[in-house]
Amino acid sequence: MNPLFMSKHILLGITGGIAAYKSCELVRLLKKQGHSVSVVMTNSATEFVSPLTFQALTGNPVLSDTYSGASNNGMAHINLTREADAFLIAPATANTIAKIANGSADNLLTTLAAARKCPLAVAPAMNVEMWNNPANLRNIEQLVSDGITVFYPNSGEQACGETGTGRMVEAVDLADLLEDLWTPKLLSSKKVLITAGATFETIDPVRGITNISSGQMGMALARACRAAGAKVTLIYGQIQTALPAGLAHSEQAISAEAMYQAVHRHIHEQDVFISVAAVADYKVKNSSNEKLKKNGNQPPVIELTENPDILASVATLPSPPFCVGFAAESHQVLEFARTKRLRKNVPMLVANQVSVSMGKPTNQITIIDDLAETSFPETSKRQAADEIVKRLAELLA
Ligand code: CTP
């Protein structure tokens, strides 16, 4: 099994902020992903959520004092991070951030941060003025230069009633971003543009032509590329799934023409283009601004005209990024895919069977490139995306 998908042990540090309630949901999501979680709390965190809550959610004892003796040899500050694949502090208060930035170790949580061997990430949560305080921003910079990952807070309405930056990243996004900590950086600092989802071609104000693509493969690839260290720009049509966190840029482009324009606005700065979107080959020539009405026995005539081929247009740019195409076929999958790769002039193409891929959480892919043709068994789209990233990194090297 790919070691990336083996369950991890996560040490979750909780400090004293109202966002501590979001960490209950985070534990639930991490457990659902198959990970195990141990919780360590500062004393002030226990004022916000009871340790018993986290004990029940994790199934593990919750530690909050350096000398509690709950660890069998009294070495909790060493043992807890030695057993962990990652240490996440969420929420991280300005106070705890300041202590970690300065190497202070005055409670179990900060001592663990100082004595850790595993990767450390912090998810700050605080009032907007505290976040913008130059001392805090200096401390954040210090954490980053010390190799600590910062999941930067969101902007919005705060528990104190003020508005601005300081809201902790949502639990669902933290659970998504956490995997970046243990993923090898195969695409470090590469810029990757991905198209995803289904396009929609308007017939009239209430009707259109679309397809059954859900966007799941594109989202899985965006996550896999981000986790591998890439700066991801995502241009998506209609999707039935959540957008990944931590993207460099994302925007929606519903029609093929809008997607073509959006891709060409961003393509010049990209190293890689992965064209996952199920783009309509044709748009409606005679689309109507008014809703079409039934007209006796006379069905309306919908005239079609060809859309631009986005992938082919990128692949034929004077200095194109490395292009990866997809081919979803209902039959003769490999034959059509091989021809499509040559026709579109792309170095790498991923072939899949419509019936096991489109609109589904799983996929069975074959990667075709200049050197090899490799088929993988049916897996989750996320695992398929990791195989694509692995091969992409080999070809880029
Ligand atoms: N594609 C694109 N723009 C289009 C059509 C397709 O960028 N107008 C891209 C898709 O994102 C995919 C690849 O081209 O990466 C192949 O798409 P597919 O729909 O399988 O092939 P088509 O070129 O449409 O050919 P056909 O309909 O004959 O299968």
Side-chain angles (χ1 to χ4, degrees):
M1 186 183 180
N2 184 337
L4 278 180
F5 296 100
M6 281 155 69
S7 64
K8 304 288 177 193
H9 184 66
I10 291 142
L11 180 61
L12 177 62
I14 298 170
T15 69
I18 184 61
Y21 80 91
K22 292 187 186 174
S23 302
C24 301
E25 174 66 1
L26 175 60
V27 171
R28 205 185 60 77
L29 291 169
L30 293 173
K31 296 266 294 182
K32 209 169 143 199
Q33 287 176 357
H35 305 309
S36 59
V37 184
S38 290
V39 166
V40 56
M41 303 175 80
T42 59
N43 284 339
S44 49
T46 64
E47 301 285 330
F48 288 87
V49 181
S50 157
L52 201 57
T53 306
F54 286 109
Q55 187 171 320
L57 288 169
T58 61
N60 287 320
V62 173
L63 298 183
S64 60
D65 184 293
T66 318
Y67 305 107
S68 67
S71 172
N72 50 17
N73 63 355
M75 289 284 174
H77 67 292
I78 303 292
N79 297 345
L80 282 170
T81 61
R82 297 300 179 273
E83 293 155 4
D85 294 294
F87 182 15
L88 168 67
I89 304 177
T93 57
N95 189 34
T96 292
I97 286 167
K99 289 183 195 175
I100 294 173
N102 288 286
S104 167
D106 67 340
N107 59 29
L108 178 59
L109 188 145
T110 50
T111 309
L112 280 163
R116 75 184 188 281
K117 273 188 167 173
C118 64
L120 172 62
V122 298
M126 64 194 75
N127 166 268
V128 52
E129 301 304 336
M130 291 176 81
W131 172 257
N132 287 325
N133 174 9
N136 179 63
L137 295 178
R138 211 164 47 234
N139 290 332
I140 292 287
E141 256 178 53
Q142 185 61 54
L143 295 190
V144 173
S145 71
D146 289 346
I148 296 167
T149 302
V150 177
F151 295 135
Y152 285 87
N154 293 328
S155 201
E157 205 175 302
Q158 303 200 302
C160 55
E162 296 184 9
T163 303
T165 304
R167 282 173 59 90
M168 187 173 87
V169 173
E170 296 302 326
V172 66
D173 292 333
L174 284 176
D176 174 9
L177 290 164
L178 206 53
E179 67 171 306
D180 296 13
L181 295 188
W182 53 76
T183 305
K185 300 298 168 232
L186 297 177
L187 297 179
S188 183
S189 71
K190 293 276 183 239
K191 290 184 177 162
V192 178
L193 191 153
I194 297 173
T195 60
T199 55
F200 182 94
E201 304 298 334
T202 302
I203 294 173
D204 72 8
V206 294
R207 303 178 182 97
I209 300 172
T210 187
N211 58 70
I212 62 166
S213 167
S214 61
Q216 292 177 78
M217 192 65 231
M219 300 305 137
L221 262 161
R223 287 193 172 90
C225 290
R226 182 208 68 208
K231 291 190 182 358
V232 178
T233 295
L234 178 68
I235 295 172
Y236 59 98
Q238 289 196 325
I239 53 171
Q240 289 150 38
T241 180
L243 286 181
L247 301 182
H249 176 74
S250 64
E251 68 182 72
Q252 191 169 34
I254 294 288
S255 67
E257 184 61 46
M259 191 173 273
Y260 174 91
Q261 299 295 344
V263 165
H264 281 276
R265 265 199 309 279
H266 294 277
I267 203 66
H268 52 276
E269 60 206 33
Q270 307 296 327
D271 300 300
V272 177
F273 175 46
I274 310 181
S275 185
V276 197
V279 185
D281 291 333
Y282 300 98
K283 66 183 163 204
V284 180
K285 197 172 171 187
N286 57 339
S287 65
S288 167
N289 292 330
E290 294 177 356
K291 189 182 165 199
L292 299 180
K293 304 304 285 178
K294 271 205 277 295
N295 183 16
N297 293 330
Q298 200 63 42
V301 176
I302 297 170
E303 287 180 60
L304 299 177
T305 180
E306 204 167 346
N307 267 325
D309 187 318
I310 304 169
L311 176 59
S313 72
V314 172
T316 50
L317 285 172
S319 43
F322 187 95
C323 289
V324 182
F326 267 70
E329 310 289 350
S330 60
H331 58 290
Q332 292 171 259
V333 177
L334 293 181
E335 282 161 71
F336 281 134
R338 285 179 202 126
T339 328
K340 205 169 273 185
R341 186 176 85 86
L342 299 176
R343 178 160 48 87
K344 303 219 180 199
N345 195 26
V346 293
M348 180 172 164
L349 186 131
V350 181
N352 47 204
Q353 220 326 321
V354 171
S355 63
V356 298
S357 62
M358 279 184 97
K360 299 202 163 62
T362 51
N363 205 348
Q364 192 275 302
I365 60 164
T366 299
I367 300 178
I368 306 173
D369 55 58
D370 288 338
L371 304 173
E373 197 171 293
T374 317
S375 293
F376 298 86
E378 191 171 332
T379 61
S380 70
K381 283 191 165 158
R382 186 64 180 76
Q383 280 174 289
D386 271 277
E387 297 299 349
I388 294 166
V389 165
K390 233 165 73 188
R391 185 61 183 153
L392 174 61
E394 282 167 7
L395 293 175
L396 287 174

